[in-house]
Amino acid sequence: MADVYRWRLAPDGLATRRQLRSMGLRPGGQDVVAELHRPRRRKDPLVAYLYRVDRAKPVRPMTPARVAALAAAMLARRTCPNCLTDAGYCILRSLGMCVPCHDTPAPSC
């Protein structure tokens, strides 16, 4: 069982995934060393998993193929399925189309 620490009381040398990422590191396959619990009123506590900083590995660099794949995925999120144009922003999933297509009334037959 991993050690459990309360909010802001974790010892030095442990970090969450986000904290590792801000340091340019990643967990690198190591197991969770401890949990951090942040208490909340009338709800279960928020839990963050902690990893050892000294066993963390550097973040893998972006390759040209990964950059191209990420660009293609973002283009797909910005392309309106109705008018097939690049909206310039990520289309909301709740709308399913760009704002001008959504706001334009459908032609009545």
Side-chain angles (χ1 to χ4, degrees), residues 34-77:
E35 292 181 0
L36 187 68
H37 286 210
R38 180 178 183 194
R40 299 189 295 175
R41 293 182 185 173
R42 295 185 216 106
K43 293 184 181 180
D44 291 336
L46 293 175
V47 178
Y49 299 110
L50 300 173
Y51 302 91
R52 288 180 46 177
V53 176
D54 60 343
R55 295 181 63 195
K57 296 180 180 177
V59 175
R60 294 184 186 114
M62 287 290 283
T63 63
R66 289 175 70 188
V67 171
L70 183 60
M74 292 306 293
L75 179 63
R77 290 183 65 191

Side-chain angles (χ1 to χ4, degrees), residues 1 8 10 12-13 24 28-29 32 36 49-50 61 67-68 78-79 92 101 107:
M1 181 68 186
R8 298 182 189 257
D12 292 336
V32 174
L36 187 68
Y49 299 110
L50 300 173
V67 171
R78 291 191 316 261
T79 303
L92 296 174
C101 288

Side-chain angles (χ1 to χ4, degrees), residues 2-17:
D3 294 334
V4 177
Y5 297 103
R6 288 187 52 95
W7 184 248
R8 298 182 189 257
L9 296 178
D12 292 336
L14 299 179
T16 63
R17 282 182 178 267

